[in-house]
Amino acid sequence: MSVLKLLEAQKAGMTLADRQIAEFILDDPGRMLELSSAALAEATGRSQSSVVKFSQKLGYAGYQQLKLAVNKAKALEWHAPGGVIHGTIDASDSYVTILQKLIGSKLLSMRETSSANNEEAVDAALAKLSSARKVLLAGVGASSLVAADFSYKLLKLGRTVLLNSDSHIQISNASALDESDALMALSHSGRSVETVRIAELAKRRGATVISVTGMQTNPLAELADIRLFTVADEDRVRSSAITARDAQLMLMDMLFIMLLRYQTDANDFIHDSESAVTVFKV
Amino acid sequence: MSVLKLLEAQKAGMTLADRQIAEFILDDPGRMLELSSAALAEATGRSQSSVVKFSQKLGYAGYQQLKLAVNKAKALEWHAPGGVIHGTIDASDSYVTILQKLIGSKLLSMRETSSANNEEAVDAALAKLSSARKVLLAGVGASSLVAADFSYKLLKLGRTVLLNSDSHIQISNASALDESDALMALSHSGRSVETVRIAELAKRRGATVISVTGMQTNPLAELADIRLFTVADEDRVRSSAITARDAQLMLMDMLFIMLLRYQTDANDFIHDSESAVTVFKV
DNA sequence: CGAAACTTGGAATATTGTATTCCGAAATGA
DNA sequence: TCATTTCGGAATACAATATTCCAAGTTTCG
């Protein structure tokens, strides 16, 4: 995940001084690289110590490390894939342009989502998903559809999965969890009331909570044992959670494919389930 | 030109001290980024001032600038081989390779789906979707989730949508259609029994049938009034309908975005529905 | 051949930059 | 309203970097 995206996402929740510094960096990352902590402080009208503290709050050891991260983000930014257009979709766009921009946005979200998650978190999630006695999936709205898609895949792998779009039933299911179970909770905002409640309940029951949320600080990720992240490109595809959903799907698809490797008998299950479905074909 | 390439090229013509420093950096650029000029001097057995002079001889203002250059070179190098990879995902692939191949397959499906549909068919579908009194969505398995996703979007646009995963209820709904209504039937194979039955019924009732199927000849597309197509990349992402689903979603997302242009009051609806949902956020 | 001029690279030092501590002010909460 | 926490700047301690200076080794040329 690029620092710049991280800043963008967290900016809103920052204090005044931090936000001013973040804005300066986002506005002109190249300039920031030439500035010392004191110079950046002067340019933003804050104190040098605030700049250092800002760096540390972001998780870096100090200002130098933040600089390196910004430098890296800037270097990678250049690398736009060929034939893909990144731009805001607007009403005057032609049919072809809309398609190109839509694909571009989807691709961007998928790429950033794939780099937003480190291998350790993914491994931890995989280990728990494959060892858990049962897996409860939670999500409302668009996230519930992603949850349903994933549950469908887990079922194909022969795993025990609980899913219900009715939040009362989800709560009941969560109450029945224990240490050997896992809850996978999806919410791009990380703030959907029902999903957070279910996660709290599951955690109290001792189940492992895996969160799938956006990068901004949010209650769901905070209480989770294993945190996975999705990155959306909402600015470009206005309205509706299109790229947020794509990012979630991308992450779940990846988990599914990785689970196939964990589980040696996976292909048998999939084959069985697919030939069973063939009965319903014309 | 990356600093690392530059070092490699100039190394031979350097003095002893400089060559030792260059070698250390080439050997482990990541390590160098963590070291101060003094620490690097110690590690190479030279003096701190030599390190600074080395940086300046290369054309940088100082050691810090050299560090930024190395950091950038490293970032680009790491990212360079990571374009879009088209290949079959197999068990021995690394984490990063799986991600790249998965994204590559998704991208391929989306691109081919976008070129598989001509603008006339899309326009006809849009016209019917926005003028129909009510829209019935049909699909089973993974397609039902795509249908649900689309119904969610249509609801946001204030349209009357019928959707139910229970095929008996879907049949009842189809029986109640007439000429002013539309049925959108999704099935990648075009052969799912329930979906085909519903489409036949809807057609008999005089409703406009829009099919969303794969490109191969299939019963569903044959009886449809408007045919839309999806292209999957199943060969590469083995098992399960990942890219078929992505292609369907891509098509539906595109329809949704185009509907936004048809319908001038669309943004009001979306805004209302989104602020209504905000009530449920923590 | 040998002294002047130049190069190399380290020690010492000056300069600059970074991180921590401390404290008052503001916000938060009981 | 008073206690507690958070925020952010000033001062300061600490660290890193850049420059200067010098000794030893090289080259140049009378």
Side-chain angles (χ1 to χ4, degrees):
Chain A
M1 174 64 160
S2 113
V3 221
L4 300 179
K5 291 281 166 194
L6 188 85
L7 284 181
E8 191 70 57
Q10 298 199 338
K11 194 173 62 172
M14 287 178 177
T15 59
L16 179 65
D18 286 351
R19 194 162 57 249
Q20 286 178 317
I21 296 170
E23 236 134 42
F24 185 96
I25 296 173
L26 286 171
D27 187 53
D28 190 351
R31 177 90 199 293
M32 175 267 190
L33 292 175
E34 302 169 352
L35 267 39
S36 67
S37 59
L40 176 57
E42 165 130 21
T44 53
R46 319 305 314 189
S47 75
Q48 185 260 336
S49 65
S50 292
V51 172
V52 175
K53 284 172 193 166
F54 172 81
S55 310
Q56 292 171 335
K57 276 182 213 161
L58 287 172
Y60 299 98
Y63 179 65
Q64 302 277 20
Q65 280 67 17
L66 172 64
K67 249 190 175 176
L68 287 177
V70 170
N71 182 247
K72 182 173 174 181
K74 219 174 127 274
L76 291 178
E77 205 172 72
W78 276 99
H79 200 84
V84 174
I85 299 182
H86 290 302
T88 307
I89 294 177
D90 51 41
S92 62
D93 282 338
S94 72
Y95 174 71
V96 175
T97 308
I98 288 182
L99 282 172
Q100 286 177 329
K101 288 184 176 176
L102 179 59
I103 291 177
S105 281
K106 283 169 174 265
L107 181 62
L108 188 70
S109 303
M110 293 194 294
R111 282 228 161 108
E112 299 205 331
T113 296
S114 73
S115 61
N117 292 287
N118 61 41
E119 197 166 346
E120 291 73 48
V122 172
D123 275 340
L126 288 172
K128 189 63 201 180
L129 285 175
S130 56
S131 67
R133 209 175 39 170
K134 54 183 188 285
V135 177
L136 175 63
L137 291 170
V140 293
S143 297
S144 79
L145 297 171
V146 177
D149 185 273
F150 192 56
S151 80
Y152 198 55
K153 290 194 173 61
L154 286 181
L155 285 172
K156 282 190 183 179
L157 285 179
R159 312 234 20 101
T160 305
V161 191
L162 302 175
L163 168 78
N164 205 291
S165 54
D166 186 312
S167 59
H168 289 205
I169 299 181
Q170 282 189 337
I171 293 254
S172 309
N173 282 333
S175 318
L177 296 178
D178 63 35
E179 300 78 32
S180 58
D181 301 321
L183 166 73
M184 185 154 215
L186 293 88
S187 167
H188 189 71
S189 69
R191 307 186 166 277
S192 303
V193 182
E194 295 96 330
T195 309
V196 174
R197 290 284 169 279
I198 290 166
E200 284 168 350
L201 183 52
K203 196 180 172 67
R204 241 179 293 132
R205 302 280 312 159
T208 303
V209 176
I210 304 172
S211 69
V212 178
T213 70
M215 299 284 291
Q216 73 287 7
T217 310
N218 67 75
L220 185 52
E222 265 166 35
L223 67 82
D225 300 296
I226 300 170
R227 283 175 267 276
L228 298 177
F229 297 101
T230 53
V231 181
D233 183 24
E234 298 296 342
D235 290 346
R236 294 172 225 259
V237 180
R238 270 196 46 246
S239 85
S240 210
I242 289 179
T243 60
R245 181 208 60 202
D246 288 334
Q248 288 182 337
L249 284 172
M250 154 81 201
L251 189 60
M252 307 313 269
D253 289 343
M254 192 263 285
L255 288 175
F256 173 68
I257 289 173
M258 308 279 274
L259 275 175
L260 285 178
R261 304 197 306 174
Y262 256 71
Q263 204 171 315
T264 47
D265 59 351
N267 284 315
D268 299 340
F269 276 108
I270 289 181
H271 187 264
D272 285 352
S273 98
E274 285 182 355
S275 55
V277 169
T278 306
V279 177
F280 300 115
K281 303 274 173 173
V282 178
Chain B
M1 170 89 104
S2 120
V3 222
L4 300 178
K5 300 261 176 221
L6 189 84
L7 284 180
E8 191 68 58
Q10 299 200 339
K11 195 174 61 171
M14 288 177 177
T15 60
L16 179 64
D18 287 349
R19 192 160 60 248
Q20 285 178 316
I21 296 169
E23 236 136 42
F24 185 95
I25 296 173
L26 286 171
D27 186 51
D28 191 351
R31 178 90 200 294
M32 175 266 190
L33 292 175
E34 301 168 353
L35 268 38
S36 68
S37 59
L40 176 58
E42 166 134 20
T44 54
R46 319 303 328 192
S47 74
Q48 183 260 335
S49 63
S50 293
V51 173
V52 175
K53 284 174 192 166
F54 171 81
S55 309
Q56 293 169 334
K57 278 183 213 161
L58 286 172
Y60 300 98
Y63 180 65
Q64 301 277 23
Q65 281 68 15
L66 172 64
K67 248 189 174 175
L68 288 177
V70 170
N71 182 247
K72 182 173 174 181
K74 214 173 132 274
L76 288 175
E77 182 182 278
W78 188 234
H79 202 259
V84 172
I85 297 182
H86 290 301
T88 306
I89 294 177
D90 52 40
S92 63
D93 282 339
S94 73
Y95 174 71
V96 174
T97 308
I98 289 182
L99 281 172
Q100 289 173 335
K101 288 184 176 176
L102 179 59
I103 291 178
S105 281
K106 283 169 174 263
L107 181 61
L108 189 68
S109 299
M110 292 195 295
R111 287 220 166 116
E112 299 201 336
T113 296
S114 73
S115 60
N117 293 285
N118 61 42
E119 198 166 346
E120 292 72 48
V122 172
D123 274 341
L126 287 173
K128 189 65 201 177
L129 285 174
S130 56
S131 67
R133 208 176 41 171
K134 55 184 189 289
V135 177
L136 176 63
L137 291 170
V140 294
S143 297
S144 79
L145 297 171
V146 177
D149 185 274
F150 192 56
S151 79
Y152 198 56
K153 289 193 174 64
L154 288 181
L155 284 173
K156 283 191 183 178
L157 286 178
R159 315 240 10 109
T160 305
V161 190
L162 302 173
L163 168 78
N164 205 291
S165 54
D166 185 312
S167 59
H168 289 204
I169 299 181
Q170 283 189 335
I171 295 255
S172 309
N173 282 334
S175 317
L177 295 178
D178 63 35
E179 300 78 33
S180 59
D181 301 322
L183 166 73
M184 187 155 215
L186 293 88
S187 167
H188 190 71
S189 68
R191 304 184 170 279
S192 302
V193 183
E194 297 95 328
T195 309
V196 174
R197 292 282 170 278
I198 290 166
E200 285 168 346
L201 182 52
K203 195 178 173 66
R204 244 180 290 131
R205 302 279 313 160
T208 303
V209 175
I210 303 171
S211 69
V212 179
T213 69
M215 300 280 287
Q216 73 288 8
T217 311
N218 67 73
L220 184 54
E222 267 167 30
L223 66 81
D225 299 297
I226 300 169
R227 285 176 266 276
L228 298 177
F229 297 101
T230 52
V231 182
D233 183 24
E234 296 297 341
D235 291 345
R236 295 172 224 260
V237 181
R238 269 195 49 246
S239 85
S240 212
I242 289 178
T243 59
R245 180 209 59 202
D246 287 335
Q248 289 181 336
L249 283 172
M250 155 82 202
L251 190 61
M252 308 313 266
D253 289 342
M254 193 263 286
L255 288 174
F256 172 69
I257 288 172
M258 308 280 270
L259 275 176
L260 285 178
R261 305 198 303 173
Y262 257 71
Q263 204 171 316
T264 48
D265 60 350
N267 284 316
D268 298 340
F269 276 107
I270 289 179
H271 186 265
D272 284 352
S273 101
E274 285 182 355
S275 56
V277 169
T278 306
V279 175
F280 299 116
K281 302 276 171 174
V282 178

